[in-house]
Amino acid sequence: MKRSAYSLILMDDVVAAVDRLAAQQGTSRSNLINQILAEHVCCTTPEQQMRQVFTCLTQAMNSAFRVQEQGSDAMLSILGSVQYKYRPTIRYSVELHRELHSEKVGLLKISCRTQSRTLLEAIQQFFLFWVQLEQEYEPEGACALGLYQIEPNRLTRVLLRHGITSNEVLGTATGKYIQMFHTVLQSYFQGLQQGLPAAVLQHALERQYAALHEQLVSQL
């Protein structure tokens, strides 16, 4: 939505109350006034649309995950641990764009904070393997469009609408995608601990991915 500057004459006490509430919510005076007016005239703001996405995303997660509020309408972090040495925590950070009606709606950043070189290398190998799976099973997805980026200890993926028109369904789909990734990642670490040969482990993971991917597509 386009924004413009307007001059308003307001009571000092009203502005002071707005500033206090804005500080509590971690937002600006202009943004809070915009939200209050939008609600009063039944106009949906980008912030409200993002909250719709995050509400449904959060509801789609199961008890194995912990949601972290970021103090921003545009960001949400979800934490999930894996059964591996030191029980590393995987962070899934979702960052939404204000213009949610476009095809590219935001970013999903997946990372693991650890000092273990062995774990870092294992995570990096899984990221590469995951991208290969996405290329095969999502020929028109983010990976095929070059919208993935692998950095040391981080995988970043552009979130696409892929024909989804509802913000609620978009949130649910994002949550289920995170769960799918985490499930396959957990199986990967279990296979490493069991000492499975690389070819055997990759075949098992691909079969699991294919089943979960088909299930995800059928639910949308």
Side-chain angles (χ1 to χ4, degrees):
M1 294 183 181
K2 182 181 177 181
R3 292 198 171 199
S4 302
Y6 297 92
S7 297
L8 296 173
I9 300 177
L10 303 173
M11 294 173 55
D12 292 341
D13 290 346
V14 172
V15 174
V18 168
D19 286 346
R20 287 194 297 271
L21 184 57
Q24 293 173 8
Q25 297 184 5
T27 188
S28 66
R29 174 196 293 170
S30 296
N31 189 48
L32 180 58
I33 292 176
N34 187 71
Q35 291 184 47
I36 293 172
L37 292 176
E39 291 176 2
H40 187 74
V41 299
C42 300
C43 178
T44 303
T45 66
E47 289 76 17
Q48 290 172 326
Q49 293 178 20
M50 289 186 283
R51 284 198 293 271
Q52 291 173 348
V53 173
F54 285 145
T55 296
C56 292
L57 192 163
T58 301
Q59 292 173 348
M61 308 308 295
N62 59 38
S63 59
F65 297 88
R66 181 161 55 91
V67 178
Q68 277 192 334
E69 298 293 341
Q70 299 295 120
S72 168
D73 291 314
M75 294 181 61
L76 185 74
S77 287
I78 297 172
L79 306 179
S81 61
V82 293
Q83 300 292 330
Y84 193 63
K85 301 174 183 178
Y86 317 117
R87 290 184 61 85
T89 297
I90 310 300
R91 178 183 295 272
Y92 301 91
S93 297
V94 180
E95 301 177 7
L96 296 178
H97 301 324
R98 286 182 57 83
E99 301 299 327
L100 281 178
H101 63 273
S102 63
E103 177 63 12
K104 300 178 183 179
V105 297
L107 297 173
L108 171 61
K109 298 180 180 180
I110 306 171
S111 61
C112 175
R113 295 186 62 181
T114 178
Q115 300 298 320
S116 169
R117 180 170 295 276
T118 300
L119 180 57
L120 287 173
E121 291 176 355
I123 286 284
Q124 201 75 1
Q125 288 301 314
F126 182 80
F127 286 164
L128 293 170
F129 177 68
W130 183 265
V131 170
Q132 291 175 359
L133 290 176
E134 296 274 85
Q135 287 176 326
E136 180 177 353
Y137 288 87
E138 285 280 356
E140 298 179 358
C143 186
L145 298 174
L147 303 179
Y148 265 99
Q149 183 177 4
I150 298 179
E151 304 170 86
N153 197 29
R154 175 178 291 180
L155 172 65
T156 301
R157 177 189 192 271
V158 174
L159 294 174
L160 302 175
R161 274 204 173 269
H162 255 331
I164 297 175
T165 58
S166 164
N167 289 329
E168 290 80 0
V169 175
L170 177 62
T172 300
T174 303
K176 291 186 178 298
Y177 179 86
I178 291 173
Q179 289 192 74
M180 180 176 72
F181 182 97
H182 198 78
T183 298
V184 180
L185 178 64
Q186 179 65 71
S187 297
Y188 168 72
F189 280 118
Q190 288 176 348
L192 292 182
Q193 291 187 127
Q194 295 169 6
L196 294 180
V200 174
L201 178 56
Q202 289 183 8
H203 179 67
L205 294 177
E206 182 173 354
R207 289 183 59 188
Q208 183 181 41
Y209 174 92
L212 292 172
H213 180 268
E214 182 179 357
Q215 181 180 357
L216 174 61
V217 171
S218 68
Q219 292 175 344
L220 300 179

